[in-house]
């Protein structure tokens, strides 16, 4: 401890952004990612909504960040209301932007909305992308404390293994506050010879009400 060490050179970290919905939030986001750019994160990820306008906002946000920073950008893409044609069109646009990694999710269906897309589960979308593109890193979600809609952790692990076998190369966990759950999850996957990188997701507690709402969806 006698010599100070710059931990930022060894620490790999990423930040997740929601596409802005107003001019004010757009300027706020711009200020945020330009500030975070200075610590050289591994990548920025941008979430993907279930509605058309929010999906186009994701694309615009990815484009803006790519143009204004040197940090790789990883857009989210979900199954909700996405057809095969739409996925191919979107991924070709991302390739033209230089995007090399995707976060592929099942997605949360908004209340009173039906999923009219061609994909039901994240593994379906992962498999579809992998069969057509071999140059994308495909990240997926992991749930050490089980998905809120799941019956048990064992089934969640089965679903996760299916995503890996479908072509996923990396994973990021849902936030958790029980480290033992994460280590148990990793141990169970190693028993099944699953060894892709699985990054713990961190959710700082800044708003307890929002946190509890996230936990229910």
């Amino acid at each position: 401890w006698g010599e100070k060490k710059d931990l930022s050179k060894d620490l790999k970290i990423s930040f997740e952004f929601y596409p802005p919905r107003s001019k004010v939030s757009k300027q706020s986001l711009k200020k945020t990612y330009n500030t975070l750019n200075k610590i050289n994160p591994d990548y920025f990820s941008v979430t993907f909504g279930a509605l058309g306008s929010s999906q186009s906002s994701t694309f615009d946000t990815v484009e803006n960040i790519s143009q204004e920073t040197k940090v790789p950008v990883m857009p989210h893409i979900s199954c909700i209301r996405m057809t095969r044609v739409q996925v191919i069109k979107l991924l070709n646009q991302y390739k033209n932007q230089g995007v090399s990694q995707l976060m592929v999710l099942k997605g949360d269906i908004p209340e009173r909305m039906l999923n009219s897309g061609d994909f039901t589960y994240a593994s379906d979308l992962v498999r579809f992308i992998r069969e057509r593109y071999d140059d994308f890193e495909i990240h997926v979600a992991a749930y050490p404390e089980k998905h809120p809609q799941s019956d048990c952790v064992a089934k969640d692990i089965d679903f996760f293994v299916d995503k890996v076998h479908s072509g996923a190369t990396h994973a990021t966990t849902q936030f958790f506050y029980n480290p033992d759950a994460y280590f148990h999850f990793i141990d169970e996957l190693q028993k099944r010879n699953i060894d892709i990188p699985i990054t713990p997701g961190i959710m700082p507690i800044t708003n307890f009400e929002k946190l509890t709402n996230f936990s229910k969806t």
Side-chain angles (χ1 to χ4, degrees), residues 47-210:
T47 63
F48 187 77
L51 303 175
S53 59
S54 54
Q55 291 175 2
S56 61
S57 295
T58 298
F59 182 85
D60 293 341
T61 303
V62 170
E63 185 174 43
N64 292 337
I65 296 175
S66 297
Q67 290 175 350
E68 297 179 28
T69 77
K70 295 182 179 180
V71 178
V73 186
M74 181 172 68
H76 292 204
I77 181 170
S78 78
C79 299
I80 309 303
R81 302 185 74 178
M82 290 296 290
T83 66
R84 293 177 176 85
V85 172
Q86 287 175 314
V87 170
I88 290 174
K89 179 181 178 181
L90 182 59
L91 296 192
N92 286 341
Q93 290 176 316
Y94 280 141
K95 282 188 65 176
N96 291 335
Q97 282 188 350
V99 169
S100 61
Q101 49 191 341
L102 306 166
M103 173 62 79
V104 179
L105 306 164
K106 176 183 177 182
D108 298 319
I109 303 176
E111 191 174 355
R112 299 177 183 176
M113 177 187 289
L114 297 176
N115 180 16
S116 56
D118 292 332
F119 308 97
T120 303
Y121 300 108
S123 57
D124 300 329
L125 184 51
V126 169
R127 189 176 300 108
F128 178 82
I129 294 172
R130 181 55 71 218
E131 288 173 351
R132 289 156 181 80
Y133 301 89
D134 58 7
D135 46 359
F136 280 120
E137 289 184 1
I138 298 180
H139 296 234
V140 293
Y143 298 89
E145 295 178 326
K146 88 176 181 61
H147 192 283
Q149 298 173 359
S150 175
D151 294 334
C152 65
V153 173
K155 286 186 178 180
D156 262 358
I157 292 175
D158 289 339
F159 292 140
F160 183 83
V161 169
D162 188 28
K163 287 190 284 190
V164 176
H165 289 164
S166 296
T169 57
H170 298 72
T172 300
T173 74
Q174 174 69 298
F175 66 87
F176 60 91
Y177 297 105
N178 177 8
D180 289 342
Y182 173 78
F183 293 119
H184 171 75
F185 186 77
I186 298 298
D187 288 343
E188 290 301 309
L189 291 175
Q190 289 179 342
K191 292 177 184 177
R192 305 192 190 195
N193 297 317
I194 300 297
D195 60 356
I196 69 170
I198 302 175
T199 303
I202 299 172
M203 175 72 75
I205 303 176
T206 57
N207 186 311
F208 184 75
E209 184 178 354
K210 285 187 177 180

